[in-house]
Amino acid sequence: MLQDTLINQASVQAGWAEKLDQLIAQYKSMPGALLPLLHAIQDELSYIPESVYPKIARALALSVAEVHGVVSFYHHFKTHKPGRHVLQICRAESCQAMGSEGLEAHAKQCLSIDYHETSQDQAITLEPVYCLGNCALSPAVMLDEAIFGRVSKADLEALIQDAKKTEAQA
Amino acid sequence: MSTIVYIPRDSSALSVGAEKVASAISQEAAKRGIAVTLVRNGSRGLYWLETMVEVATDKGRVAYGPVKAADVSGLFEADFLNTEAASAKAHRLNLGLTEELAWLKQQQRLTFARVGITDPVSLEDYLAHDGYQGLKNALKLSAADIVKTVTDSGLRGRGGAAFPTGIKWNTVLGCAADQKYIVCNADEGDSGTYSDRMIMENDPYVLIEGMTIAGIAVGATQGYIYLRSEYPHALAVLNEAIAKAQQAGYLGDNIIGSSHDFKLEVRRAAGAYVCGEETSLLESLEGKRGLVRFKPPLPAIEGLFGKPTVVNNVISLATVPIILHKGAQYYADYGMGRSRGTLPIQLAGNIKQGGLVELAFGITLRELLYDYGGGSASGRPIKAVQVGGPLGAFLPESQFDTPLDYEAFTAIWAVLGHGGIVAFDDTVDMAKMARYAFEFCAIESCGKCTPCRIGSTRGVEVMDKIIAGTDRVKNIKLVRDLSNTMLNGSLCALGGMTPYPVLSAINHFPADFNIKDAAV
């Protein structure tokens, strides 16, 4: 845990402390501020380092445990830095009906990782997702914020190869 | 003269290359020195034909689809912009006039009247297509009369619970409070459903108008749209539309010169299915873990931040404008029994022609699956359908003649839910689907009540034994017993309805569980 925190802090970008203060000031007085603030932090860093909990807790009059509780409750919030890209494969029923199980297995094999893991080259983090609202064109996957429908194994492989070559989206 | 060409910006259309088609058309037109004006409209909802490109003509729009970027130069070769040309008519992707497509023409689009026709973020376009007529009528009525109109229309909550919308509004109207809220539940997490997404991406103003009318009706001045984080396109469209509506005086203080104020904000959810349950949603909006609340108190009395709150689904709220525009009776004239009006049905899963079908209640599953859906995408027989999301029952072929009606579904121990229909062909293993239902519940349980938190995990374990062939009869009895506990002992629908897919799978497809009949 301590080691995680140290790694987290070390990897956080320069000027982050000021940025965090600015975000806290921006969201602090908003009703129900915690989720919008966490989103803003994740938008900035692509994850939510544990090192930000105490400052958030103080600003919103919460305990650190409460902040941790909220971060850990929601699947969307990441506590570790993901790869340059996040690939989400839909596991829900509509996509299952169109062979998403095969896609999942193929992605895991291509990347040599399981769900919630990042490929060794730090290019892609693989996540399951439960419905992307693209159910008329199942099976569906999402790469960062781009959605793809009627995805074949070959399509998925091409997506993965492209993503490995490219930098993260801003 | 520049020809207007419509290319959808809907995320499903984008998922099969609409953006590439749009840029290919721009580039090819520029190369050939042809003037085209691209309009990024919403999707008509004929998703198997996406990307559907439409060309404006005197007679209406002519559609081509499904267009791939690679088809674009061929379309120009065939002079596709000149829809009267013989070569354009003969092109293999030419579908004729969009409005004449039987799939679309036979529908009764009330909530979806503008979807696919207009540019979603253009307020001018919205106004030119009957937009804000409902609000104008509402402003002439008393609060009680707006609520009465909604009650008389027979509109029931389209999120799945089917509670009469007008009665919910009336409770909030009757509460005295210094602050009330309108909360739109846009946490559309059910697999097989995408009608909320379509409204938000393709006609956001109708949702904004519906929420504004709700605010005026119950005396709420603040609205929130709780939007799932999986919908980044909807987020961008909603934020743009809200800013434009505010600028034009349709949101904010003194709405279009009236004495009413209404402010609206989109809040991003964070990937928790249970937050589609209204009390869990409210907790999340307050910045907490999405734990389900005990009821009472009802959210209508003590909702967001302890204040009276209307929590309605996207489709319920987006249907309010047409009810206020055309009148309660106009809407109530559609439908059957106590299911009044229309339902935007979403065809999904293993289906040849998937898409959005808005029709009056009463159409049968069979008509939807075969007349609209064209059968399975794989060409194999449809073995089962799941209606109403991951907590809905699986229905076998023998139940395909059930009409879409809340009470008819209740009578066969199924739910209509949010109107999503997921088709499975005969390669599906229903024992695996039953296991998945428990697994999904375990992943998404908020953890507050024991039957859901523990029951879901025990369910996965018992299903694993059944699939492995261990003490099948004994273990199926155990699943039934566990389901009974979850059904009766869970705090909300997540644990309380997971038994629907599980037990319906056992009851209708015993062979997949390697038992002779379901009576064990």
Side-chain angles (χ1 to χ4, degrees):
Chain A
M1 196 68 139
L2 178 64
Q3 200 180 10
D4 275 358
T5 309
L6 290 175
I7 292 166
N8 279 341
Q9 280 170 338
S11 59
V12 169
Q13 64 203 36
W16 167 243
E18 293 73 34
K19 181 72 194 176
L20 178 62
D21 289 340
Q22 191 194 321
L23 289 176
I24 288 174
Q26 187 185 335
Y27 287 96
K28 198 178 154 177
S29 55
M30 187 186 245
L34 186 52
L35 262 76
L37 177 58
L38 293 173
H39 272 297
I41 292 169
Q42 184 157 303
D43 287 348
E44 197 69 34
L45 296 176
S46 72
Y47 75 113
I48 301 169
E50 223 173 277
S51 57
V52 304
Y53 295 177
K55 245 185 190 175
I56 296 174
R58 269 196 302 280
L60 300 183
L62 299 168
S63 69
V64 170
E66 282 170 310
V67 177
H68 173 77
V70 169
V71 173
S72 62
F73 183 86
Y74 295 97
H75 302 303
H76 178 78
F77 294 133
K78 295 187 171 59
T79 50
H80 294 276
K81 194 172 176 60
R84 297 197 302 278
H85 302 279
V86 176
L87 177 64
Q88 293 178 295
I89 300 183
C90 182
R91 285 197 68 210
E93 290 87 343
S94 177
C95 288
Q96 287 183 41
M98 289 300 284
S100 62
E101 275 192 339
L103 279 186
E104 292 178 78
H106 195 63
K108 288 176 183 177
Q109 195 196 346
C110 285
L111 295 164
S112 310
I113 52 174
D114 203 345
Y115 277 133
H116 312 297
E117 293 179 354
T118 301
S119 60
Q120 209 167 11
D121 58 1
Q122 298 299 310
I124 296 173
T125 298
L126 189 65
E127 296 285 350
V129 66
Y130 298 89
C131 198
L132 294 164
N134 196 27
C135 324
L137 295 171
S138 290
V141 306
M142 201 173 208
L143 182 68
D144 301 325
E145 292 204 340
I147 185 166
F148 299 88
R150 289 277 194 253
V151 179
S152 66
K153 284 181 186 172
D155 294 337
L156 184 70
E157 213 170 309
L159 266 182
I160 289 173
Q161 293 314 322
D162 277 357
K164 277 177 173 275
K165 282 182 234 152
T166 56
E167 290 303 308
Q169 285 178 355
Chain B
M1 206 187 82
S2 181
T3 310
I4 299 174
V5 177
Y6 296 88
I7 303 165
R9 57 177 292 172
D10 168 280
S11 63
S12 269
L14 296 177
S15 83
V16 286
E19 203 59 52
K20 283 183 183 155
V21 171
S23 56
I25 289 178
S26 292
Q27 282 168 19
E28 195 70 27
K31 204 168 84 185
R32 293 167 185 257
I34 298 168
V36 293
T37 305
L38 294 194
V39 175
R40 303 306 299 272
N41 61 331
S43 170
R44 301 270 190 165
L46 292 76
Y47 281 123
W48 79 100
L49 294 176
E50 293 290 2
T51 303
M52 190 164 103
V53 174
E54 293 174 276
V55 178
T57 76
D58 303 343
K59 292 176 187 151
R61 296 183 194 172
V62 171
Y64 296 87
V67 179
K68 297 271 171 212
D71 298 318
V72 169
S73 71
L75 282 166
F76 276 92
E77 283 303 315
D79 201 10
F80 83 114
L81 297 174
N82 176 14
T83 55
E84 290 301 311
S87 55
K89 284 183 176 167
H91 195 281
R92 68 185 166 86
L93 298 178
N94 188 321
L95 303 166
L97 288 167
T98 313
E99 302 288 343
E100 293 301 318
L101 292 167
W103 207 87
L104 200 55
K105 200 178 180 181
Q106 288 161 11
Q107 296 193 31
Q108 294 155 313
R109 290 200 167 183
L110 305 184
T111 310
F112 276 69
R114 268 173 302 270
V115 169
I117 295 171
T118 53
D119 170 352
V121 292
S122 165
L123 182 56
E124 298 71 33
D125 223 1
Y126 184 66
L127 294 170
H129 288 83
D130 289 337
Y132 278 117
Q133 294 301 321
L135 176 67
K136 282 182 188 143
N137 287 345
L139 285 170
K140 291 180 216 149
L141 299 174
S142 69
D145 282 339
I146 301 174
V147 173
K148 187 176 182 305
T149 304
V150 174
T151 307
D152 291 346
S153 75
L155 178 66
R156 291 163 73 179
R158 296 286 187 255
F163 187 82
T165 306
I167 291 177
K168 196 185 266 187
W169 287 21
N170 201 43
T171 307
V172 178
L173 173 63
C175 290
D178 55 350
Q179 178 70 58
K180 297 179 187 178
Y181 297 102
I182 307 296
V183 170
C184 171
N185 184 345
D187 199 33
E188 183 179 54
D190 289 350
S191 175
T193 67
Y194 46 82
S195 60
D196 293 354
R197 178 188 62 69
M198 285 186 75
I199 283 291
M200 294 186 286
E201 289 181 352
N202 302 327
D203 195 16
Y205 292 109
V206 79
L207 174 60
I208 296 170
E209 183 183 351
M211 291 184 74
T212 309
I213 294 169
I216 293 168
V218 305
T221 55
Q222 177 68 51
Y224 291 103
I225 299 171
Y226 184 82
L227 175 70
R228 63 197 304 252
S229 55
E230 292 84 349
Y231 285 177
H233 294 279
L235 176 68
V237 174
L238 284 170
N239 279 333
E240 190 177 340
I242 287 170
K244 285 185 178 167
Q246 196 151 348
Q247 214 167 16
Y250 287 98
L251 282 174
D253 294 333
N254 304 109
I255 290 158
I256 49 172
S258 72
S259 59
H260 299 280
D261 304 338
F262 190 69
K263 296 185 177 70
L264 185 54
E265 204 184 299
V266 184
R267 286 289 176 93
R268 267 194 285 172
Y273 176 77
V274 74
C275 289
E277 193 284 331
E278 62 176 1
T279 63
S280 160
L281 186 159
L282 294 173
E283 288 288 299
S284 183
L285 265 182
E286 290 181 5
K288 302 173 193 158
R289 293 162 73 89
L291 297 185
V292 175
R293 293 178 185 171
F294 289 101
K295 287 196 267 192
L298 292 172
I301 295 164
E302 280 182 46
L304 185 62
F305 303 114
K307 303 292 182 184
T309 304
V310 167
V311 187
N312 280 154
N313 167 256
V314 173
I315 300 297
S316 312
L317 289 162
T319 303
V320 167
I322 195 166
I323 292 170
L324 267 295
H325 176 208
K326 302 256 173 101
Q329 196 55 48
Y330 174 83
Y331 191 73
D333 281 344
Y334 291 89
M336 70 174 275
R338 286 172 52 221
S339 304
R340 306 313 311 172
T342 57
L343 181 68
I345 299 146
Q346 303 119 85
L347 296 179
N350 199 326
I351 195 90
K352 195 170 161 198
Q353 299 176 165
L356 191 287
V357 183
E358 183 176 354
L359 283 171
F361 287 93
I363 186 167
T364 67
L365 274 174
R366 195 180 301 279
E367 290 171 284
L368 286 163
L369 291 170
Y370 296 100
D371 298 350
Y372 283 90
S376 72
S378 61
R380 302 180 68 95
I382 297 177
K383 173 171 163 178
V385 296
Q386 188 177 29
V387 185
L391 306 175
F394 288 102
L395 307 180
E397 207 267 340
S398 61
Q399 293 184 327
F400 287 179
D401 292 312
T402 310
L404 265 72
D405 163 66
Y406 294 119
E407 280 66 42
F409 267 64
T410 306
I412 57 164
W413 207 69
V415 290
L416 203 42
H418 190 46
I421 299 176
V422 178
F424 295 83
D425 74 11
D426 61 351
T427 60
V428 68
D429 176 349
M430 299 308 293
K432 267 169 75 181
M433 298 314 296
R435 183 196 184 279
Y436 173 79
F438 279 127
E439 183 192 3
F440 181 72
C441 182
I443 294 166
E444 299 295 341
S445 176
C446 85
K448 185 161 176 169
C449 74
T450 317
C452 174
R453 184 183 67 245
I454 308 287
S456 52
T457 297
R458 291 290 98 85
V460 172
E461 292 163 0
V462 182
M463 277 311 307
D464 279 338
K465 287 183 192 161
I466 293 168
I467 290 168
T470 314
D471 292 335
R472 268 196 206 103
V473 172
K474 192 183 112 196
N475 280 315
I476 283 173
K477 277 185 180 145
L478 201 55
V479 166
R480 288 190 180 281
D481 187 46
L482 175 64
S483 294
N484 197 35
T485 304
M486 290 176 74
L487 262 172
N488 296 299
S490 299
L491 195 50
C492 82
L494 179 50
M497 288 178 63
T498 292
Y500 275 71
V502 173
L503 296 181
S504 60
I506 298 174
N507 292 339
H508 298 308
F509 306 95
D512 285 14
F513 294 78
N514 283 314
I515 49 174
K516 281 199 187 65
D517 63 65
V520 291

